[in-house]
Every structure is written in C-alpha cells, then in structure tokens.
Amino acid sequence: MAVSGASGWPTLPALPDPATRAVLDSGLLAELSYALGGPFHFLLPDAFDANLRTLRSALSDAGVAGFVYYAKKANKAAVWSERCAANGAGVDTASVGELRDALGHGVRGEHLVVTGPAKDGALLRLAVRQGALIAVDALDELDALIATVGPDPVRPARVVLRCLPPAQPHSRFGLHDTELEAALERCARAADAVRMEGFSFHLSGYAVQPRADLAGRLVERCLKARARGLVADRISIGGGLAVSYTDAVSWRGFLAGQHSGHYHAGKSFTAGDFYPYHSPAAGAGALRALLAARPEGHHRNLAALLQDAALTLLLEPGRALLDQAGATVFRIQGVKDRAGYQLLTVDGTSLSLSEQWFHSEYLPDPHLLSHDPDAPAGLHPASVGAATCLESDLISWRKIPFPRRPRIGDLLVYPNTAGYQMDSNESSFHDLPLPPKVVIDRTERPRPRWRLDRQRS
Ligand SMILES: *Cc1c(COP(=O)(O)O)cnc(C)c1O
C-alpha cells in the first residue's frame, strides 16, 4: 500500500500467494487467454486441500471430533467435489443438481448434508436413499420427510434441526423455540423413521463469539434431546469462517483513504458495503478462536463442552476452503482516456465477478500482465468496464493505480476469486460464453499442468 497509497490512490494488495505467483510468472495465462478466446477462471486444488488440512488440524489440536462439509454454493466446479471425495470430506448441497454432482464425483451419500429451505420431494427422497444428513428448516418439511420415509423404513431419515438464531430473529431460516419443541416431539414419535442426530445453525456475518454462544446453547439442547431417547450426538455451526484477502494495515488504510473521487462516475461506497477484506481471525484461525471461546453462560470453552458431551462438531465452510484456490483472468480489449484516468473495457462481465451484484465491489487489486515490456511505467489509474451495453456493468468502479499503462491485449488477473466470485451470478448475457474453469494441478516448474474442470451445467 505504501507507494501508491501515499500518492492518494487507495490500493488493496492481495496477500502474497506463491502458487498464484508461479502461475502469473509462467506465461501460461497469455496462452490460455489466446486458446480459450475469452475470460476464464483458474483453480488451484492444492490450496483447497491445504485449507481442509488446516481446518482439520484446528479440530484435532483442540481434541474435538469434527467433520467438514464443503458448502458447494461458493463455487460450482467439479474439482472441489473430487477433492472432497479424495480427502474423505463432505459436501453441503441444497438442490438435486448439487447433490447429484457431488455423488457423481465420488462423494459418499452419508458424507453429504442437505441444507436450504423447503426442500422439495425429489431432494428429500434422494437424500434419504443416499443416507445424507438433512438439515430440517421447518415443521412442514419434517412432516414431508417423515411421510417420504414411510411406515416401514428401509433406512431412517438422518436429521439435524436448524435453529433460528436468537441474535438474528429476522432470519428466514430455522425453527424457533416452540417449533423446535414440536419437532423433537415429532422426531420421537416417528421412531425408526427418523434418526435425530442433533441441531444446526448458519449465521450471517463473521463474528466468532455469537457462533460460540449459539453452539453452547445447542450443546445443551443435545443433552436434553438425548434424555428423550434421541441420538443427538452432533451440532453443525454452518459456515462463515472469515477469509483475509489483505493485511490489516492495507485494509485500514484503504477504508480511511477511499472516497467517491476514487471511483468512476463519482460512485461512493461506505465501509459497510464491502466484505471485510481483513479479519484478525480467519479460516482455521477463526475455528481455533471459536473452539477456545467461552459460550455465554458457561465457564469452560466450546472445545471442552463438546468433549464432555461427546459431540461431533460439523462445519460447512465455503469461502474458507476456497481461500487462494483460484483467480479470474480478463483480457483488455479497449482503453479510453477520461479526465485523469482511463476506462478499460475487458472481454467479460461483472457476472463473472459477483461482488458487483451485492451493492459492493471486489477490492483486491488485480494484477496487470503487460504483453508489451515497453509500456510506460508510472502511476496509471483506471476503472474496469465490462463488454456489455449496460451503463452500470463495471468490474471495478475504483480507479486502480496500475504500475504501467494498460494496453489492449494485456491481461487483468483478479486474485483469490474462487469463493463466491466466479459463478454464482454467471449467465450468457449478450450471448457471451460462460468463462471456462481451468484446473491447475501443478503450479511448480518446469510448467504448470492444467486441464479443464469437469463440471457440466
Ligand atoms: C452459505 C452457507 C454456508 C457457507 O458459508 P461460508 O460463509 O461460505 O462459509 C454454510 N452453510 C449454510 C447453511 C449456508 O447457507
């Protein structure tokens, strides 16, 4: 941040990542951009494996039995299901398509959890047959599930009851106290049709303490449910482990320095519009902090409560498993001069960098890969527009201070985009093709090894 930050143009440098750096330096991206003829994403499965390992270490170091499900909505690529299958991890799915995809890439049925509201009959039937864990979100859903299993069950429906978080009473998800009571009663009555394995939640935001507090309450709920003869041996804390994209100093400097003059068309953002691009406790660090936190009303930490109750902790991280696991590559196809900055047009759209669609902006600085080594160096602020006819379709409203003058044919590489940016909003608007995903199985010398992802949409 020092140099260009001091010049008055806020920057947000991504945390250094050797694997991404190796790909940038390899020359591969220019070849792929030419070969694929449009924007593309690249994926780094080794990073996913490493993130899974660090989460598992956090659990084992705290002496807590746990199981990690990858929240599939964060990125559709097949390679993540393949990695889950290879590593014995689970997948969190919310549709027949996601469930089928995870199974088809080798994840075992009993390693799936099905979340999402008002799951339809086809999804419930498939989940029961595959032995997947089902996070029940409403009483009518529980009734439908019990009816699906029928009176002579071959196998029971495996169920956790999703709780409406008391601290987020306006959430549209989960059961409130009286509904939970009724659900427990119905589970007990359903006998062999239902195996009530515990409770779950998923909180908005990234704070650790509210998760510890609610987890503490679910531990108590499990103990009470067991007293009624139910299994209740696990709780799921959902997702929401924060990811740090940048360091603390850069993030603070960015927020303090940015104003509407730094954006195309004088657009303005407040700090609350942005994802928190730095968190003091992120990824496995956030999990460690959670396990070490003392839930409200308890004098021991969450890890100790889980151990004492012999409970398994289930997690459904999406973003945290995808940290540093991919990036997005656009080619500059037009450069306009505006007063004091340039307006670049790239070969893709903000539908392939989703943050724009949430009243926000993806802030980590893109890398400029110049094809012309003689491009003038210096400070060249530029905003980045999309190849569409929408006035508002910008990938970066921010005037990013590039270290060389961007030219047609240069590549812009947005770092660390695998979590939520790539495909949640993608469409073939304007009849533009969807950006393919390139899996880079090996980043080190002599050459990166790449292939196309096997996902079918
Ligand atoms: C979205 C979602 C997750 C994943 O959240 P992250 O913030 O990506 O970790 C986990 N569980 C449920 C129920 C979700 O809806």
Side-chain angles (χ1 to χ4, degrees), residues 183-195:
L184 286 169
E185 191 55 47
R186 288 180 208 186
C187 288
R189 239 187 301 129
D192 290 347
V194 167
R195 188 180 148 90

PDB file of all heavy atoms in Angstrom, residues 183-195:
ATOM      1  N   ALA A 183     -40.893 -30.149  16.931  1.00  0.00           N
ATOM      2  CA  ALA A 183     -40.092 -31.004  16.040  1.00  0.00           C
ATOM      3  C   ALA A 183     -39.513 -32.184  16.818  1.00  0.00           C
ATOM      4  O   ALA A 183     -39.515 -33.324  16.335  1.00  0.00           O
ATOM      5  CB  ALA A 183     -38.980 -30.189  15.393  1.00  0.00           C
ATOM      6  N   LEU A 184     -39.030 -31.920  18.031  1.00  0.00           N
ATOM      7  CA  LEU A 184     -38.464 -33.001  18.845  1.00  0.00           C
ATOM      8  C   LEU A 184     -39.528 -34.052  19.152  1.00  0.00           C
ATOM      9  O   LEU A 184     -39.286 -35.254  19.077  1.00  0.00           O
ATOM     10  CB  LEU A 184     -37.896 -32.432  20.153  1.00  0.00           C
ATOM     11  CG  LEU A 184     -36.580 -31.663  19.990  1.00  0.00           C
ATOM     12  CD1 LEU A 184     -36.228 -30.918  21.268  1.00  0.00           C
ATOM     13  CD2 LEU A 184     -35.457 -32.614  19.601  1.00  0.00           C
ATOM     14  N   GLU A 185     -40.714 -33.559  19.476  1.00  0.00           N
ATOM     15  CA  GLU A 185     -41.835 -34.447  19.756  1.00  0.00           C
ATOM     16  C   GLU A 185     -42.140 -35.334  18.537  1.00  0.00           C
ATOM     17  O   GLU A 185     -42.289 -36.547  18.649  1.00  0.00           O
ATOM     18  CB  GLU A 185     -43.050 -33.545  20.089  1.00  0.00           C
ATOM     19  CG  GLU A 185     -44.248 -34.240  20.663  1.00  0.00           C
ATOM     20  CD  GLU A 185     -43.909 -35.050  21.911  1.00  0.00           C
ATOM     21  OE1 GLU A 185     -43.207 -34.487  22.779  1.00  0.00           O
ATOM     22  OE2 GLU A 185     -44.323 -36.225  21.991  1.00  0.00           O
ATOM     23  N   ARG A 186     -42.169 -34.698  17.350  1.00  0.00           N
ATOM     24  CA  ARG A 186     -42.479 -35.465  16.131  1.00  0.00           C
ATOM     25  C   ARG A 186     -41.366 -36.455  15.791  1.00  0.00           C
ATOM     26  O   ARG A 186     -41.629 -37.547  15.318  1.00  0.00           O
ATOM     27  CB  ARG A 186     -42.714 -34.516  14.953  1.00  0.00           C
ATOM     28  CG  ARG A 186     -44.038 -33.792  15.096  1.00  0.00           C
ATOM     29  CD  ARG A 186     -44.316 -32.834  13.960  1.00  0.00           C
ATOM     30  NE  ARG A 186     -45.162 -31.760  14.466  1.00  0.00           N
ATOM     31  CZ  ARG A 186     -45.699 -30.806  13.716  1.00  0.00           C
ATOM     32  NH1 ARG A 186     -45.470 -30.781  12.408  1.00  0.00           N
ATOM     33  NH2 ARG A 186     -46.455 -29.869  14.252  1.00  0.00           N
ATOM     34  N   CYS A 187     -40.119 -36.063  16.036  1.00  0.00           N
ATOM     35  CA  CYS A 187     -38.996 -36.993  15.795  1.00  0.00           C
ATOM     36  C   CYS A 187     -39.112 -38.198  16.720  1.00  0.00           C
ATOM     37  O   CYS A 187     -38.925 -39.347  16.308  1.00  0.00           O
ATOM     38  CB  CYS A 187     -37.656 -36.311  16.031  1.00  0.00           C
ATOM     39  SG  CYS A 187     -37.221 -35.123  14.753  1.00  0.00           S
ATOM     40  N   ALA A 188     -39.425 -37.933  17.986  1.00  0.00           N
ATOM     41  CA  ALA A 188     -39.542 -39.031  18.946  1.00  0.00           C
ATOM     42  C   ALA A 188     -40.679 -39.964  18.533  1.00  0.00           C
ATOM     43  O   ALA A 188     -40.537 -41.183  18.563  1.00  0.00           O
ATOM     44  CB  ALA A 188     -39.778 -38.467  20.353  1.00  0.00           C
ATOM     45  N   ARG A 189     -41.792 -39.373  18.105  1.00  0.00           N
ATOM     46  CA  ARG A 189     -42.942 -40.184  17.699  1.00  0.00           C
ATOM     47  C   ARG A 189     -42.666 -40.973  16.420  1.00  0.00           C
ATOM     48  O   ARG A 189     -43.180 -42.073  16.236  1.00  0.00           O
ATOM     49  CB  ARG A 189     -44.171 -39.289  17.511  1.00  0.00           C
ATOM     50  CG  ARG A 189     -45.312 -39.696  18.430  1.00  0.00           C
ATOM     51  CD  ARG A 189     -46.598 -38.947  18.148  1.00  0.00           C
ATOM     52  NE  ARG A 189     -46.452 -37.503  18.279  1.00  0.00           N
ATOM     53  CZ  ARG A 189     -46.839 -36.614  17.350  1.00  0.00           C
ATOM     54  NH1 ARG A 189     -47.402 -37.027  16.215  1.00  0.00           N
ATOM     55  NH2 ARG A 189     -46.679 -35.328  17.549  1.00  0.00           N
ATOM     56  N   ALA A 190     -41.854 -40.388  15.538  1.00  0.00           N
ATOM     57  CA  ALA A 190     -41.581 -41.058  14.256  1.00  0.00           C
ATOM     58  C   ALA A 190     -40.703 -42.293  14.446  1.00  0.00           C
ATOM     59  O   ALA A 190     -40.532 -43.089  13.523  1.00  0.00           O
ATOM     60  CB  ALA A 190     -40.923 -40.074  13.285  1.00  0.00           C
ATOM     61  N   ALA A 191     -40.152 -42.454  15.620  1.00  0.00           N
ATOM     62  CA  ALA A 191     -39.347 -43.638  15.984  1.00  0.00           C
ATOM     63  C   ALA A 191     -38.339 -44.007  14.910  1.00  0.00           C
ATOM     64  O   ALA A 191     -37.462 -43.225  14.598  1.00  0.00           O
ATOM     65  CB  ALA A 191     -40.272 -44.806  16.320  1.00  0.00           C
ATOM     66  N   ASP A 192     -38.488 -45.175  14.292  1.00  0.00           N
ATOM     67  CA  ASP A 192     -37.476 -45.683  13.359  1.00  0.00           C
ATOM     68  C   ASP A 192     -37.389 -44.910  12.049  1.00  0.00           C
ATOM     69  O   ASP A 192     -36.456 -45.101  11.274  1.00  0.00           O
ATOM     70  CB  ASP A 192     -37.768 -47.153  13.021  1.00  0.00           C
ATOM     71  CG  ASP A 192     -37.497 -48.039  14.218  1.00  0.00           C
ATOM     72  OD1 ASP A 192     -36.873 -47.546  15.178  1.00  0.00           O
ATOM     73  OD2 ASP A 192     -37.927 -49.207  14.187  1.00  0.00           O
ATOM     74  N   ALA A 193     -38.373 -44.053  11.779  1.00  0.00           N
ATOM     75  CA  ALA A 193     -38.345 -43.323  10.513  1.00  0.00           C
ATOM     76  C   ALA A 193     -37.325 -42.195  10.535  1.00  0.00           C
ATOM     77  O   ALA A 193     -36.849 -41.761   9.483  1.00  0.00           O
ATOM     78  CB  ALA A 193     -39.732 -42.763  10.201  1.00  0.00           C
ATOM     79  N   VAL A 194     -36.992 -41.722  11.726  1.00  0.00           N
ATOM     80  CA  VAL A 194     -36.100 -40.562  11.836  1.00  0.00           C
ATOM     81  C   VAL A 194     -34.977 -40.859  12.815  1.00  0.00           C
ATOM     82  O   VAL A 194     -35.206 -41.399  13.895  1.00  0.00           O
ATOM     83  CB  VAL A 194     -36.888 -39.317  12.319  1.00  0.00           C
ATOM     84  CG1 VAL A 194     -35.941 -38.201  12.739  1.00  0.00           C
ATOM     85  CG2 VAL A 194     -37.819 -38.807  11.232  1.00  0.00           C
ATOM     86  N   ARG A 195     -33.791 -40.510  12.423  1.00  0.00           N
ATOM     87  CA  ARG A 195     -32.661 -40.558  13.346  1.00  0.00           C
ATOM     88  C   ARG A 195     -32.279 -39.101  13.616  1.00  0.00           C
ATOM     89  O   ARG A 195     -31.675 -38.431  12.768  1.00  0.00           O
ATOM     90  CB  ARG A 195     -31.520 -41.319  12.686  1.00  0.00           C
ATOM     91  CG  ARG A 195     -30.352 -41.617  13.565  1.00  0.00           C
ATOM     92  CD  ARG A 195     -29.276 -42.378  12.768  1.00  0.00           C
ATOM     93  NE  ARG A 195     -27.973 -42.020  13.290  1.00  0.00           N
ATOM     94  CZ  ARG A 195     -27.364 -42.669  14.286  1.00  0.00           C
ATOM     95  NH1 ARG A 195     -27.919 -43.727  14.807  1.00  0.00           N
ATOM     96  NH2 ARG A 195     -26.195 -42.246  14.732  1.00  0.00           N
TER      97      ARG A 195
END
